[in-house]
Amino acid sequence: MACKLGIPQGLLFYDYYPLWKEFFKELGVEVVLSSKTNKEILDKGVSACVDEACLPVKVFHGHVEDLKDKVDYIFIPKFISIRKREFICPKFLGLPEMIKNSIKDLPPIIDTEINLRKSNYKLMKAIFETGRHFTYNFFKINSAYKKAFKYYTDYKRLITKGVIPMEAIRVYSKCINNVENRNDNSLRIMVSGHPYNIYDEYLSMRLIKKLKKDNINVITPEMIKEDKINYYASKLPKRMFWSFGRKIVGSAFSVMEEQKVDGIIYVSSFGCGLDSILIDLVQRKAKALKVPFTLLTVDEHTGEAGINTRIEAFTDMIKWRVKNENNIPTHG
Ligand code: SF4
C-alpha cells in the first residue's frame, strides 16, 4: 500500500502544490490534502496556535490538525529563502517547530530546509533530502523532480495568462478556455496581497469569485511576469529583500503605471508586520496615480456582510467613475 503524505492547504500551498504533488506522485507516494479552510479548521488552528501569530499561520495549524490522523507523514518545509539575496517572512522559518510544539500526536514531519539565499545549488540538496524519505534511488528522485518541474512550469505559465491558481489546480484545460473567454471591456481590478490570503476562499470570503460574478476581470500578483515585477520593484529607493514584498509591490506598481487596472483591492491579515510596509507603498503609489484603492483586513472575527458591503461600495464607485468622470481623485 502506498505511503500517505499530508499536505496542508495553507500558506505556500497555492505557490507550490503542483510541484510537490507531481514530485511525490512520481515517487509512488499518495498525497492527501487537508480539507479546504472552514470554520472548524479556523477554530482548531486558533486554539492550537499562540495568540501572537498572524491569521494564516493560525489557519495552517488547523490544516495540520485536520490531517494528522489520516496520513503517515506531513510535509511542512522550512522555508528560509526562495530567491538569491532575498528572504521570506521569518514565520515560515519557525513553522515546523511551532507546529511540533503546539500540536500533539503528530506523524513524522518532513521539514526539509529550503534556503536559496546564496545559491540555487541548495535546491537540489533539498529535493534529495525530501525524496530519500521514500527511496534511496538517486536517479528516481532526480527524474521525479524533472517531471514535476516541467508540470510546475506549465502551471505557472497558465497563471501568467490570467488563470486564478485555484482554477489552474482544479481543471487544467477548462482554465485555458476561461482565459480566452475573458471580457476585455469589463472593469479590471487587481486583488493584491499574500497568496494565502487572496486565494484561500474562506479567508478572503470568496472575494475573487464575487468580483468575477460581477463580470470584473481579476488580476493578481502571480499573473504578472517576473521581469516586469523586478523592473518596477527596482524603482524603489531601497532594494526590497522580501520575496513576497518584491512581488506584491512590483506587480501593483506595474499594473498602475501601465494603466492596466481600474482599481486595487489589497487583502491583508491582521497583525502582519510585512503588510504594514507593503500596504503603505502600494497605497501611496495609488494615490499619486489616482488609482482607486481599498484595503480589506481580515482576522478570525471578520464578518462576511461587512466585507460584501465594502466590495460593493468600491466596485460601484469605480463603475460610476469610469462612466462619468475618469479623472476624479479618490483620495483627499
Ligand atoms: S508575511 Fe505576514 S501574513 Fe505572511 S506569515 Fe508573515 S506575518 Fe503572517
Side-chain angles (χ1 to χ4, degrees):
M1 213 168 62
C3 178
K4 287 187 182 173
L5 174 89
I7 296 188
Q9 288 206 55
L11 292 175
L12 299 188
F13 172 80
Y14 292 105
D15 289 85
Y16 295 112
Y17 172 65
L19 177 71
W20 296 333
K21 188 188 98 181
E22 281 304 299
F23 177 66
F24 291 119
K25 193 182 92 186
E26 288 295 322
L27 294 181
V29 178
E30 183 186 342
V31 171
V32 178
L33 293 182
S34 56
S35 315
K36 281 188 175 178
T37 310
N38 53 41
K39 173 99 174 66
E40 197 186 333
I41 285 184
L42 174 66
D43 290 346
K44 277 184 181 171
V46 169
S47 59
C49 186
V50 292
D51 290 342
E52 295 73 24
C54 59
L55 183 63
V57 168
K58 288 179 182 167
V59 169
F60 192 86
H61 280 65
H63 282 284
V64 175
E65 286 271 10
D66 184 63
L67 274 174
K68 69 174 190 179
D69 299 322
K70 304 174 189 165
V71 293
D72 305 307
Y73 294 90
I74 301 184
F75 185 51
I76 308 177
K78 183 190 287 191
F79 281 103
I80 298 175
S81 166
I82 52 173
R83 198 166 187 264
K84 225 172 169 183
R85 296 178 65 224
E86 287 186 358
F87 287 101
I88 59 171
C89 173
K91 298 227 167 86
F92 287 90
L93 191 158
L95 191 65
E97 271 66 39
M98 263 180 105
I99 296 282
K100 285 181 217 167
N101 277 303
S102 314
I103 302 177
K104 294 204 166 42
D105 304 322
L106 285 169
I109 302 289
I110 300 181
D111 58 353
T112 317
E113 182 179 297
I114 297 176
N115 184 357
L116 310 184
R117 189 176 71 86
K118 289 192 176 155
S119 94
N120 281 348
Y121 156 77
K122 290 212 171 159
L123 179 64
M124 280 325 284
K125 189 171 171 266
I127 301 293
F128 288 117
E129 251 181 60
T130 309
R132 79 175 163 71
H133 286 272
F134 307 103
T135 174
Y136 285 105
N137 186 334
F138 170 93
F139 297 104
K140 193 171 177 188
I141 298 175
N142 195 31
S143 137
Y145 176 67
K146 278 188 180 156
K147 281 187 190 158
F149 190 74
K150 184 179 174 311
Y151 184 82
Y152 180 62
T153 310
D154 291 345
Y155 167 76
K156 291 291 225 190
R157 197 172 299 129
L158 206 54
I159 292 170
T160 55
K161 281 186 180 177
V163 180
I164 302 294
M166 304 87 97
E167 292 170 355
I169 287 173
R170 274 198 292 264
V171 261
Y172 202 75
S173 52
K174 195 171 149 211
C175 291
I176 294 170
N177 296 334
N178 286 350
V179 175
E180 286 165 354
N181 291 339
R182 277 202 313 177
N183 184 352
D184 287 336
N185 296 321
S186 308
L187 286 187
R188 291 155 303 167
I189 291 185
M190 169 170 259
V191 175
S192 190
H194 288 89
Y196 35 87
N197 287 329
I198 63 180
Y199 300 127
D200 187 309
E201 293 186 346
Y202 188 82
L203 295 188
S204 69
M205 298 178 192
R206 297 181 300 283
L207 168 64
I208 292 177
K209 274 193 178 158
K210 284 172 187 163
L211 294 173
K212 287 190 157 206
K213 203 169 163 205
D214 200 12
N215 204 25
I216 291 171
N217 284 326
V218 175
I219 299 167
T220 63
E222 283 66 34
M223 293 176 190
I224 308 300
K225 292 203 170 125
E226 190 73 6
D227 50 352
K228 271 202 180 170
I229 290 176
N230 292 339
Y231 172 71
Y232 284 99
S234 72
K235 291 188 170 191
L236 288 169
K238 271 188 152 186
R239 191 172 72 82
M240 175 70 69
F241 56 85
W242 301 107
S243 294
F244 282 106
R246 176 181 49 79
K247 183 187 265 186
I248 290 169
V249 172
S251 60
F253 280 21
S254 104
V255 294
M256 285 192 278
E257 290 206 11
E258 294 179 8
Q259 300 181 348
K260 294 254 172 73
V261 288
D262 301 297
I264 296 198
I265 300 177
Y266 195 112
V267 185
S268 172
S269 47
F270 183 75
C272 172
L274 194 51
D275 269 353
S276 61
I277 299 164
L278 305 181
I279 291 166
D280 190 55
L281 289 169
V282 175
Q283 194 167 12
R284 277 169 193 249
K285 177 65 89 178
K287 190 173 178 180
L289 296 176
K290 298 176 181 165
V291 177
F293 174 93
T294 194
L295 170 67
L296 300 180
T297 305
V298 290
D299 67 11
E300 49 269 50
H301 309 295
T302 305
E304 190 160 356
I307 292 284
N308 288 347
T309 310
R310 299 271 312 276
I311 301 170
E312 255 175 59
F314 186 68
T315 52
D316 284 352
M317 179 273 292
I318 298 178
K319 283 175 193 165
W320 184 90
R321 187 175 188 248
V322 168
K323 193 171 161 205
N324 298 291
E325 299 260 6
N326 215 10
N327 59 354
I328 291 186
T330 52
H331 298 273

